[in-house]
Amino acid sequence: MDKIARMMEYFWLALGVVSTGVATYIAIAHGWAAGRVFFWFPLVCFAMFFYRRFMRKKMKEWAERREREERG
């Protein structure tokens, strides 16, 4: 499960980097007024990256705490 979670984190990170490049290109090619809406996509991607990272670490912490409680 941890491998899938890490893979999805890097997916969102890569998608954020790519969409930042595309949004920057659109803003340069068509002007800021036409391209500014495209900067929402990288913001959402980076937010998902940090949210998934936070939740993966939190879930790992919960699992370790549950194991400690079951053992002793």
Side-chain angles (χ1 to χ4, degrees):
M1 189 69 177
D2 190 54
K3 285 184 180 183
I4 294 172
R6 282 184 187 268
M7 185 177 69
M8 288 306 297
E9 283 177 20
Y10 291 122
F11 166 78
W12 283 111
L13 182 63
L15 196 61
V17 169
V18 169
S19 63
T20 299
V22 171
T24 303
Y25 170 75
I26 291 172
I28 291 171
H30 300 286
W32 174 251
R36 70 177 176 215
V37 71
F38 290 99
F39 283 97
W40 281 102
F41 295 111
L43 287 174
V44 169
C45 291
F46 289 126
M48 286 297 297
F49 167 74
F50 288 114
Y51 175 74
R52 289 193 64 93
R53 174 169 275 197
F54 170 77
M55 285 306 296
R56 179 182 53 84
K57 290 180 180 181
K58 201 58 129 162
M59 288 174 60
K60 185 176 181 181
E61 189 178 296
W62 291 338
E64 289 172 355
R65 188 180 327 150
R66 188 173 359 135
E67 285 179 10
R68 282 194 307 260
E69 289 174 358
E70 287 176 357
R71 278 191 257 149

